[in-house]
Amino acid sequence: MRQETRKQRHAAHAHPHWGRWLLLVVLLGLAGYGAVQWYHVDQQRKLTATPTTVKQTNRLIQRNAQVSQQQRHSQTTALDRTAGSANPDFTANLTKQLTAKKFSGTALVVKNDQVIYQKSFGWANAAKKRRNTPKTQYLINSLQKSMTGLLVMRAIEQGKLKMTDTLHQFYPQVKNSRRVTIRQMLNMEGGLLGDMKPDKDLGERQIYRYAAQHVRVDTTQLNQFNYQPICYVMLAAILNQVTDQSYYHQFYQQIVTPLNLNETSFVQLRQQNSALSVGYKGQTPGTYSDPEVPAAKDVSSRLGTGNVAMSPSNVFKTVQAIVQGKRFNHATSAKTLLEPGVATPKYTGGMYHFADQGYYGHGVGNFYEDTFLVSTDGRTGVIFMSNNFYKKTMWPTWSTEDIAKATFKQVVTASTIS
């Protein structure tokens, strides 16, 4: 009896001891789980939260670029290589035209999803002896508006925005903003005016604040096309409000990552991006004696409307995805955004209608010229991108926009290319 009593006494003392250890293990486990969850939430916040200052903005862009790179696969396709000579006459003729224009950049032509021409000319960085290649990145200027249009349409699909929503719902302080809709802003028909010319570099929230302070509505221009980049800065600002996410995060996670765009970045990351070409000015292309780097205040102020750098293949894949609706959840969303079939060709969703053959975009700025044309089915396209074009001295003599349009007309209508 005494021995049994001692066992019972020992057990009575032992159970509370192990119970305390078990409780401690459980608490530590919960703490660890909580720490892991907090870490994930904190990391997500760092990727999505809208930064205020320039330093915060550049840090956020870099984080999103790194995460996107980890999520993409590095696959080289025909879109990323110089094309062979399967179409010798066409190749020789187009090369002759571009050479006559002293074209410095990369030209890509796709017919029915097949690359029929891709050739690079000139220097991406003459001082470092780096030539332009199919993977060289060029500042895309206004071509970015089509991508902001994509983001707007995705927000509409998600029920966060409607085409009929007004500017007043987001920026009631803007006079006459009740009369301007999202649809009108996408089409540059909302009468919006205002220059984005800050006197210093600004962070993302600061850009939205600056735009809201400088935008105004000219009611005499309602429902009339008037190309004003501030329309798309304000669309980016509205996207930021309805999604509560940085524009840069949305761009990487909704465009760059899912489309596997390995030659796309923001110009703010120039120092970390050796693939980004240098822009050159002068009286004619091809001299490379006057390199220019865009001023930081100009780059940041073009948020949503012209501060992305891309290769021609990445531009083609993106506009193709927009036209074909690859990044939309509903089959009709591309048509809602681009309004095909209207009686008079127009500008809508960041693209111009190109008669009944497709869509096109054109951008000029900071010593770059960019043109894209894509067919209505998204399978045929022409992309010209140059890093040696100074509009003040080279327009229109040295522009290749008309060659791009003529080439597209030829390719999209021809049954075969010889």
Side-chain angles (χ1 to χ4, degrees), residues 46 49-64 200-207 246 248 268-269 272 296 300:
K46 288 179 179 179
T50 308
T52 300
T53 67
V54 173
K55 186 176 181 180
Q56 291 169 346
T57 300
N58 292 344
R59 189 183 300 126
L60 177 134
I61 296 172
Q62 191 166 7
R63 283 198 193 104
N64 275 279
K200 63 179 181 180
D201 194 8
L202 298 176
E204 185 173 355
R205 283 193 189 278
Q206 294 168 334
I207 288 295
S246 164
Y248 296 103
Q268 287 98 318
L269 301 183
Q272 298 99 319
S300 60

PDB file of all heavy atoms in Angstrom, residues 46 49-64 200-207 246 248 268-269 272 296 300:
ATOM      1  N   LYS A  46       4.144  45.428 -47.628  1.00  0.00           N
ATOM      2  CA  LYS A  46       5.276  46.115 -48.250  1.00  0.00           C
ATOM      3  C   LYS A  46       5.191  46.087 -49.780  1.00  0.00           C
ATOM      4  O   LYS A  46       5.737  46.958 -50.448  1.00  0.00           O
ATOM      5  CB  LYS A  46       6.591  45.479 -47.794  1.00  0.00           C
ATOM      6  CG  LYS A  46       6.944  45.784 -46.338  1.00  0.00           C
ATOM      7  CD  LYS A  46       8.248  45.113 -45.936  1.00  0.00           C
ATOM      8  CE  LYS A  46       8.612  45.452 -44.493  1.00  0.00           C
ATOM      9  NZ  LYS A  46       9.869  44.777 -44.065  1.00  0.00           N
ATOM     10  N   ALA A  49       1.098  48.275 -50.341  1.00  0.00           N
ATOM     11  CA  ALA A  49       0.766  49.580 -49.762  1.00  0.00           C
ATOM     12  C   ALA A  49       1.284  50.713 -50.640  1.00  0.00           C
ATOM     13  O   ALA A  49       2.384  50.641 -51.191  1.00  0.00           O
ATOM     14  CB  ALA A  49       1.355  49.687 -48.358  1.00  0.00           C
ATOM     15  N   THR A  50       0.499  51.748 -50.780  1.00  0.00           N
ATOM     16  CA  THR A  50       0.873  52.876 -51.626  1.00  0.00           C
ATOM     17  C   THR A  50       1.909  53.746 -50.924  1.00  0.00           C
ATOM     18  O   THR A  50       1.628  54.315 -49.868  1.00  0.00           O
ATOM     19  CB  THR A  50      -0.355  53.723 -51.977  1.00  0.00           C
ATOM     20  OG1 THR A  50      -1.362  52.864 -52.515  1.00  0.00           O
ATOM     21  CG2 THR A  50       0.002  54.798 -52.993  1.00  0.00           C
ATOM     22  N   PRO A  51       3.103  53.876 -51.491  1.00  0.00           N
ATOM     23  CA  PRO A  51       4.145  54.682 -50.859  1.00  0.00           C
ATOM     24  C   PRO A  51       3.897  56.173 -51.064  1.00  0.00           C
ATOM     25  O   PRO A  51       3.219  56.577 -52.015  1.00  0.00           O
ATOM     26  CB  PRO A  51       5.423  54.227 -51.579  1.00  0.00           C
ATOM     27  CG  PRO A  51       4.935  53.803 -52.931  1.00  0.00           C
ATOM     28  CD  PRO A  51       3.565  53.233 -52.726  1.00  0.00           C
ATOM     29  N   THR A  52       4.460  56.963 -50.188  1.00  0.00           N
ATOM     30  CA  THR A  52       4.295  58.413 -50.276  1.00  0.00           C
ATOM     31  C   THR A  52       5.505  59.078 -50.897  1.00  0.00           C
ATOM     32  O   THR A  52       5.392  59.806 -51.885  1.00  0.00           O
ATOM     33  CB  THR A  52       4.034  59.014 -48.886  1.00  0.00           C
ATOM     34  OG1 THR A  52       2.844  58.447 -48.349  1.00  0.00           O
ATOM     35  CG2 THR A  52       3.876  60.528 -48.965  1.00  0.00           C
ATOM     36  N   THR A  53       6.686  58.834 -50.359  1.00  0.00           N
ATOM     37  CA  THR A  53       7.885  59.529 -50.801  1.00  0.00           C
ATOM     38  C   THR A  53       8.557  58.840 -51.983  1.00  0.00           C
ATOM     39  O   THR A  53       8.242  57.697 -52.323  1.00  0.00           O
ATOM     40  CB  THR A  53       8.898  59.621 -49.650  1.00  0.00           C
ATOM     41  OG1 THR A  53       9.376  58.293 -49.345  1.00  0.00           O
ATOM     42  CG2 THR A  53       8.268  60.233 -48.406  1.00  0.00           C
ATOM     43  N   VAL A  54       9.516  59.542 -52.570  1.00  0.00           N
ATOM     44  CA  VAL A  54      10.278  58.982 -53.684  1.00  0.00           C
ATOM     45  C   VAL A  54      11.050  57.747 -53.238  1.00  0.00           C
ATOM     46  O   VAL A  54      11.047  56.710 -53.917  1.00  0.00           O
ATOM     47  CB  VAL A  54      11.255  60.036 -54.249  1.00  0.00           C
ATOM     48  CG1 VAL A  54      12.184  59.413 -55.291  1.00  0.00           C
ATOM     49  CG2 VAL A  54      10.492  61.197 -54.854  1.00  0.00           C
ATOM     50  N   LYS A  55      11.708  57.840 -52.098  1.00  0.00           N
ATOM     51  CA  LYS A  55      12.505  56.722 -51.597  1.00  0.00           C
ATOM     52  C   LYS A  55      11.639  55.501 -51.355  1.00  0.00           C
ATOM     53  O   LYS A  55      11.987  54.375 -51.734  1.00  0.00           O
ATOM     54  CB  LYS A  55      13.220  57.133 -50.310  1.00  0.00           C
ATOM     55  CG  LYS A  55      14.193  56.092 -49.782  1.00  0.00           C
ATOM     56  CD  LYS A  55      14.945  56.623 -48.559  1.00  0.00           C
ATOM     57  CE  LYS A  55      15.950  55.593 -48.043  1.00  0.00           C
ATOM     58  NZ  LYS A  55      16.691  56.109 -46.860  1.00  0.00           N
ATOM     59  N   GLN A  56      10.477  55.700 -50.753  1.00  0.00           N
ATOM     60  CA  GLN A  56       9.554  54.589 -50.492  1.00  0.00           C
ATOM     61  C   GLN A  56       9.041  53.995 -51.804  1.00  0.00           C
ATOM     62  O   GLN A  56       8.921  52.779 -51.940  1.00  0.00           O
ATOM     63  CB  GLN A  56       8.376  55.086 -49.661  1.00  0.00           C
ATOM     64  CG  GLN A  56       8.727  55.466 -48.241  1.00  0.00           C
ATOM     65  CD  GLN A  56       7.582  56.198 -47.535  1.00  0.00           C
ATOM     66  OE1 GLN A  56       6.628  56.643 -48.182  1.00  0.00           O
ATOM     67  NE2 GLN A  56       7.683  56.323 -46.224  1.00  0.00           N
ATOM     68  N   THR A  57       8.755  54.853 -52.771  1.00  0.00           N
ATOM     69  CA  THR A  57       8.229  54.397 -54.055  1.00  0.00           C
ATOM     70  C   THR A  57       9.254  53.541 -54.795  1.00  0.00           C
ATOM     71  O   THR A  57       8.940  52.459 -55.294  1.00  0.00           O
ATOM     72  CB  THR A  57       7.823  55.592 -54.933  1.00  0.00           C
ATOM     73  OG1 THR A  57       6.812  56.346 -54.252  1.00  0.00           O
ATOM     74  CG2 THR A  57       7.293  55.128 -56.284  1.00  0.00           C
ATOM     75  N   ASN A  58      10.483  54.016 -54.853  1.00  0.00           N
ATOM     76  CA  ASN A  58      11.520  53.257 -55.554  1.00  0.00           C
ATOM     77  C   ASN A  58      11.798  51.926 -54.875  1.00  0.00           C
ATOM     78  O   ASN A  58      12.058  50.920 -55.541  1.00  0.00           O
ATOM     79  CB  ASN A  58      12.794  54.086 -55.649  1.00  0.00           C
ATOM     80  CG  ASN A  58      12.630  55.294 -56.561  1.00  0.00           C
ATOM     81  OD1 ASN A  58      11.681  55.357 -57.345  1.00  0.00           O
ATOM     82  ND2 ASN A  58      13.532  56.245 -56.471  1.00  0.00           N
ATOM     83  N   ARG A  59      11.715  51.920 -53.538  1.00  0.00           N
ATOM     84  CA  ARG A  59      11.917  50.670 -52.802  1.00  0.00           C
ATOM     85  C   ARG A  59      10.785  49.696 -53.108  1.00  0.00           C
ATOM     86  O   ARG A  59      11.007  48.501 -53.299  1.00  0.00           O
ATOM     87  CB  ARG A  59      11.985  50.947 -51.301  1.00  0.00           C
ATOM     88  CG  ARG A  59      12.417  49.727 -50.471  1.00  0.00           C
ATOM     89  CD  ARG A  59      12.399  50.026 -48.978  1.00  0.00           C
ATOM     90  NE  ARG A  59      13.301  51.127 -48.661  1.00  0.00           N
ATOM     91  CZ  ARG A  59      12.935  52.228 -48.000  1.00  0.00           C
ATOM     92  NH1 ARG A  59      11.684  52.388 -47.614  1.00  0.00           N
ATOM     93  NH2 ARG A  59      13.811  53.170 -47.745  1.00  0.00           N
ATOM     94  N   LEU A  60       9.543  50.194 -53.173  1.00  0.00           N
ATOM     95  CA  LEU A  60       8.397  49.328 -53.477  1.00  0.00           C
ATOM     96  C   LEU A  60       8.498  48.763 -54.890  1.00  0.00           C
ATOM     97  O   LEU A  60       8.224  47.582 -55.113  1.00  0.00           O
ATOM     98  CB  LEU A  60       7.094  50.107 -53.304  1.00  0.00           C
ATOM     99  CG  LEU A  60       5.832  49.316 -53.665  1.00  0.00           C
ATOM    100  CD1 LEU A  60       4.759  49.477 -52.603  1.00  0.00           C
ATOM    101  CD2 LEU A  60       5.282  49.749 -55.021  1.00  0.00           C
ATOM    102  N   ILE A  61       8.882  49.594 -55.859  1.00  0.00           N
ATOM    103  CA  ILE A  61       9.029  49.110 -57.234  1.00  0.00           C
ATOM    104  C   ILE A  61      10.058  47.987 -57.280  1.00  0.00           C
ATOM    105  O   ILE A  61       9.850  46.954 -57.918  1.00  0.00           O
ATOM    106  CB  ILE A  61       9.448  50.250 -58.176  1.00  0.00           C
ATOM    107  CG1 ILE A  61       8.355  51.321 -58.238  1.00  0.00           C
ATOM    108  CG2 ILE A  61       9.712  49.714 -59.585  1.00  0.00           C
ATOM    109  CD1 ILE A  61       8.772  52.577 -58.986  1.00  0.00           C
ATOM    110  N   GLN A  62      11.172  48.182 -56.580  1.00  0.00           N
ATOM    111  CA  GLN A  62      12.232  47.179 -56.591  1.00  0.00           C
ATOM    112  C   GLN A  62      11.772  45.874 -55.953  1.00  0.00           C
ATOM    113  O   GLN A  62      12.057  44.789 -56.465  1.00  0.00           O
ATOM    114  CB  GLN A  62      13.463  47.710 -55.860  1.00  0.00           C
ATOM    115  CG  GLN A  62      14.702  46.851 -56.056  1.00  0.00           C
ATOM    116  CD  GLN A  62      15.968  47.565 -55.625  1.00  0.00           C
ATOM    117  OE1 GLN A  62      15.931  48.652 -55.069  1.00  0.00           O
ATOM    118  NE2 GLN A  62      17.111  46.947 -55.881  1.00  0.00           N
ATOM    119  N   ARG A  63      11.037  45.956 -54.840  1.00  0.00           N
ATOM    120  CA  ARG A  63      10.507  44.740 -54.191  1.00  0.00           C
ATOM    121  C   ARG A  63       9.585  43.993 -55.137  1.00  0.00           C
ATOM    122  O   ARG A  63       9.657  42.771 -55.263  1.00  0.00           O
ATOM    123  CB  ARG A  63       9.741  45.115 -52.914  1.00  0.00           C
ATOM    124  CG  ARG A  63      10.614  45.462 -51.711  1.00  0.00           C
ATOM    125  CD  ARG A  63       9.776  45.370 -50.449  1.00  0.00           C
ATOM    126  NE  ARG A  63      10.456  45.985 -49.323  1.00  0.00           N
ATOM    127  CZ  ARG A  63      10.165  47.177 -48.811  1.00  0.00           C
ATOM    128  NH1 ARG A  63       9.185  47.887 -49.342  1.00  0.00           N
ATOM    129  NH2 ARG A  63      10.826  47.663 -47.784  1.00  0.00           N
ATOM    130  N   ASN A  64       8.676  44.711 -55.772  1.00  0.00           N
ATOM    131  CA  ASN A  64       7.729  44.062 -56.681  1.00  0.00           C
ATOM    132  C   ASN A  64       8.444  43.454 -57.884  1.00  0.00           C
ATOM    133  O   ASN A  64       8.064  42.376 -58.352  1.00  0.00           O
ATOM    134  CB  ASN A  64       6.666  45.063 -57.131  1.00  0.00           C
ATOM    135  CG  ASN A  64       5.518  45.175 -56.160  1.00  0.00           C
ATOM    136  OD1 ASN A  64       4.605  44.356 -56.163  1.00  0.00           O
ATOM    137  ND2 ASN A  64       5.562  46.178 -55.288  1.00  0.00           N
ATOM    138  N   LYS A 200       9.952  68.886 -58.832  1.00  0.00           N
ATOM    139  CA  LYS A 200      10.855  67.928 -58.197  1.00  0.00           C
ATOM    140  C   LYS A 200      10.300  66.514 -58.335  1.00  0.00           C
ATOM    141  O   LYS A 200       9.143  66.324 -58.689  1.00  0.00           O
ATOM    142  CB  LYS A 200      11.047  68.261 -56.715  1.00  0.00           C
ATOM    143  CG  LYS A 200       9.773  68.173 -55.890  1.00  0.00           C
ATOM    144  CD  LYS A 200      10.041  68.498 -54.422  1.00  0.00           C
ATOM    145  CE  LYS A 200       8.751  68.383 -53.598  1.00  0.00           C
ATOM    146  NZ  LYS A 200       9.000  68.687 -52.175  1.00  0.00           N
ATOM    147  N   ASP A 201      11.152  65.541 -58.068  1.00  0.00           N
ATOM    148  CA  ASP A 201      10.747  64.135 -58.110  1.00  0.00           C
ATOM    149  C   ASP A 201       9.725  63.883 -57.007  1.00  0.00           C
ATOM    150  O   ASP A 201       9.873  64.388 -55.880  1.00  0.00           O
ATOM    151  CB  ASP A 201      11.987  63.252 -57.892  1.00  0.00           C
ATOM    152  CG  ASP A 201      11.742  61.797 -58.248  1.00  0.00           C
ATOM    153  OD1 ASP A 201      10.664  61.495 -58.803  1.00  0.00           O
ATOM    154  OD2 ASP A 201      12.638  60.979 -57.976  1.00  0.00           O
ATOM    155  N   LEU A 202       8.677  63.110 -57.323  1.00  0.00           N
ATOM    156  CA  LEU A 202       7.604  62.852 -56.363  1.00  0.00           C
ATOM    157  C   LEU A 202       7.352  61.359 -56.215  1.00  0.00           C
ATOM    158  O   LEU A 202       7.544  60.588 -57.154  1.00  0.00           O
ATOM    159  CB  LEU A 202       6.309  63.532 -56.815  1.00  0.00           C
ATOM    160  CG  LEU A 202       6.319  65.058 -56.939  1.00  0.00           C
ATOM    161  CD1 LEU A 202       4.987  65.548 -57.495  1.00  0.00           C
ATOM    162  CD2 LEU A 202       6.618  65.723 -55.599  1.00  0.00           C
ATOM    163  N   GLY A 203       6.897  60.958 -55.011  1.00  0.00           N
ATOM    164  CA  GLY A 203       6.491  59.581 -54.763  1.00  0.00           C
ATOM    165  C   GLY A 203       5.077  59.344 -55.257  1.00  0.00           C
ATOM    166  O   GLY A 203       4.397  60.269 -55.711  1.00  0.00           O
ATOM    167  N   GLU A 204       4.606  58.104 -55.153  1.00  0.00           N
ATOM    168  CA  GLU A 204       3.310  57.755 -55.757  1.00  0.00           C
ATOM    169  C   GLU A 204       2.152  58.570 -55.200  1.00  0.00           C
ATOM    170  O   GLU A 204       1.380  59.173 -55.958  1.00  0.00           O
ATOM    171  CB  GLU A 204       3.030  56.257 -55.588  1.00  0.00           C
ATOM    172  CG  GLU A 204       1.757  55.826 -56.306  1.00  0.00           C
ATOM    173  CD  GLU A 204       1.534  54.325 -56.315  1.00  0.00           C
ATOM    174  OE1 GLU A 204       2.428  53.582 -55.837  1.00  0.00           O
ATOM    175  OE2 GLU A 204       0.475  53.892 -56.796  1.00  0.00           O
ATOM    176  N   ARG A 205       1.990  58.612 -53.877  1.00  0.00           N
ATOM    177  CA  ARG A 205       0.883  59.400 -53.308  1.00  0.00           C
ATOM    178  C   ARG A 205       1.026  60.876 -53.654  1.00  0.00           C
ATOM    179  O   ARG A 205       0.023  61.569 -53.887  1.00  0.00           O
ATOM    180  CB  ARG A 205       0.841  59.231 -51.789  1.00  0.00           C
ATOM    181  CG  ARG A 205       0.255  57.914 -51.323  1.00  0.00           C
ATOM    182  CD  ARG A 205      -0.044  57.947 -49.837  1.00  0.00           C
ATOM    183  NE  ARG A 205      -0.412  56.646 -49.340  1.00  0.00           N
ATOM    184  CZ  ARG A 205      -1.635  56.110 -49.428  1.00  0.00           C
ATOM    185  NH1 ARG A 205      -2.599  56.807 -50.018  1.00  0.00           N
ATOM    186  NH2 ARG A 205      -1.878  54.909 -48.935  1.00  0.00           N
ATOM    187  N   GLN A 206       2.249  61.353 -53.690  1.00  0.00           N
ATOM    188  CA  GLN A 206       2.481  62.753 -54.018  1.00  0.00           C
ATOM    189  C   GLN A 206       2.076  63.056 -55.459  1.00  0.00           C
ATOM    190  O   GLN A 206       1.570  64.141 -55.746  1.00  0.00           O
ATOM    191  CB  GLN A 206       3.953  63.097 -53.788  1.00  0.00           C
ATOM    192  CG  GLN A 206       4.369  63.033 -52.323  1.00  0.00           C
ATOM    193  CD  GLN A 206       5.880  63.098 -52.139  1.00  0.00           C
ATOM    194  OE1 GLN A 206       6.639  62.733 -53.027  1.00  0.00           O
ATOM    195  NE2 GLN A 206       6.317  63.565 -50.980  1.00  0.00           N
ATOM    196  N   ILE A 207       2.276  62.084 -56.354  1.00  0.00           N
ATOM    197  CA  ILE A 207       1.853  62.261 -57.750  1.00  0.00           C
ATOM    198  C   ILE A 207       0.341  62.382 -57.842  1.00  0.00           C
ATOM    199  O   ILE A 207      -0.203  63.246 -58.542  1.00  0.00           O
ATOM    200  CB  ILE A 207       2.348  61.091 -58.627  1.00  0.00           C
ATOM    201  CG1 ILE A 207       3.857  61.183 -58.841  1.00  0.00           C
ATOM    202  CG2 ILE A 207       1.621  61.055 -59.970  1.00  0.00           C
ATOM    203  CD1 ILE A 207       4.307  62.397 -59.618  1.00  0.00           C
ATOM    204  N   SER A 246      -0.920  49.867 -54.609  1.00  0.00           N
ATOM    205  CA  SER A 246      -0.048  50.677 -55.442  1.00  0.00           C
ATOM    206  C   SER A 246      -0.237  50.327 -56.917  1.00  0.00           C
ATOM    207  O   SER A 246      -0.414  49.156 -57.266  1.00  0.00           O
ATOM    208  CB  SER A 246       1.410  50.438 -55.042  1.00  0.00           C
ATOM    209  OG  SER A 246       2.297  50.918 -56.037  1.00  0.00           O
ATOM    210  N   TYR A 248       2.053  50.326 -59.065  1.00  0.00           N
ATOM    211  CA  TYR A 248       3.205  49.510 -59.446  1.00  0.00           C
ATOM    212  C   TYR A 248       2.981  48.039 -59.099  1.00  0.00           C
ATOM    213  O   TYR A 248       3.318  47.148 -59.877  1.00  0.00           O
ATOM    214  CB  TYR A 248       4.465  50.039 -58.765  1.00  0.00           C
ATOM    215  CG  TYR A 248       4.827  51.440 -59.208  1.00  0.00           C
ATOM    216  CD1 TYR A 248       4.557  52.547 -58.404  1.00  0.00           C
ATOM    217  CD2 TYR A 248       5.418  51.658 -60.446  1.00  0.00           C
ATOM    218  CE1 TYR A 248       4.880  53.832 -58.820  1.00  0.00           C
ATOM    219  CE2 TYR A 248       5.742  52.942 -60.878  1.00  0.00           C
ATOM    220  CZ  TYR A 248       5.471  54.025 -60.054  1.00  0.00           C
ATOM    221  OH  TYR A 248       5.781  55.294 -60.483  1.00  0.00           O
ATOM    222  N   GLN A 268      12.427  54.014 -63.172  1.00  0.00           N
ATOM    223  CA  GLN A 268      13.064  54.333 -61.889  1.00  0.00           C
ATOM    224  C   GLN A 268      14.148  53.327 -61.526  1.00  0.00           C
ATOM    225  O   GLN A 268      15.021  53.630 -60.709  1.00  0.00           O
ATOM    226  CB  GLN A 268      12.015  54.395 -60.769  1.00  0.00           C
ATOM    227  CG  GLN A 268      11.118  55.624 -60.831  1.00  0.00           C
ATOM    228  CD  GLN A 268       9.791  55.337 -61.506  1.00  0.00           C
ATOM    229  OE1 GLN A 268       9.749  54.634 -62.526  1.00  0.00           O
ATOM    230  NE2 GLN A 268       8.712  55.869 -60.969  1.00  0.00           N
ATOM    231  N   LEU A 269      14.112  52.124 -62.109  1.00  0.00           N
ATOM    232  CA  LEU A 269      15.104  51.096 -61.808  1.00  0.00           C
ATOM    233  C   LEU A 269      16.255  51.100 -62.814  1.00  0.00           C
ATOM    234  O   LEU A 269      16.949  50.098 -62.977  1.00  0.00           O
ATOM    235  CB  LEU A 269      14.440  49.714 -61.791  1.00  0.00           C
ATOM    236  CG  LEU A 269      13.305  49.508 -60.788  1.00  0.00           C
ATOM    237  CD1 LEU A 269      12.808  48.067 -60.842  1.00  0.00           C
ATOM    238  CD2 LEU A 269      13.745  49.866 -59.380  1.00  0.00           C
ATOM    239  N   GLN A 272      19.677  49.618 -61.929  1.00  0.00           N
ATOM    240  CA  GLN A 272      19.763  48.167 -61.743  1.00  0.00           C
ATOM    241  C   GLN A 272      19.442  47.393 -63.019  1.00  0.00           C
ATOM    242  O   GLN A 272      19.416  46.174 -63.012  1.00  0.00           O
ATOM    243  CB  GLN A 272      18.795  47.716 -60.633  1.00  0.00           C
ATOM    244  CG  GLN A 272      19.098  48.307 -59.269  1.00  0.00           C
ATOM    245  CD  GLN A 272      18.221  49.508 -58.950  1.00  0.00           C
ATOM    246  OE1 GLN A 272      17.970  50.344 -59.791  1.00  0.00           O
ATOM    247  NE2 GLN A 272      17.771  49.581 -57.707  1.00  0.00           N
ATOM    248  N   ALA A 296      14.411  62.641 -63.269  1.00  0.00           N
ATOM    249  CA  ALA A 296      13.616  61.835 -62.332  1.00  0.00           C
ATOM    250  C   ALA A 296      12.216  62.405 -62.158  1.00  0.00           C
ATOM    251  O   ALA A 296      11.229  61.662 -62.088  1.00  0.00           O
ATOM    252  CB  ALA A 296      14.328  61.748 -60.990  1.00  0.00           C
ATOM    253  N   SER A 300       8.724  60.094 -62.821  1.00  0.00           N
ATOM    254  CA  SER A 300       7.710  59.785 -61.799  1.00  0.00           C
ATOM    255  C   SER A 300       6.364  60.416 -62.116  1.00  0.00           C
ATOM    256  O   SER A 300       5.320  59.857 -61.794  1.00  0.00           O
ATOM    257  CB  SER A 300       8.191  60.258 -60.422  1.00  0.00           C
ATOM    258  OG  SER A 300       8.416  61.658 -60.411  1.00  0.00           O
TER     259      SER A 300
END
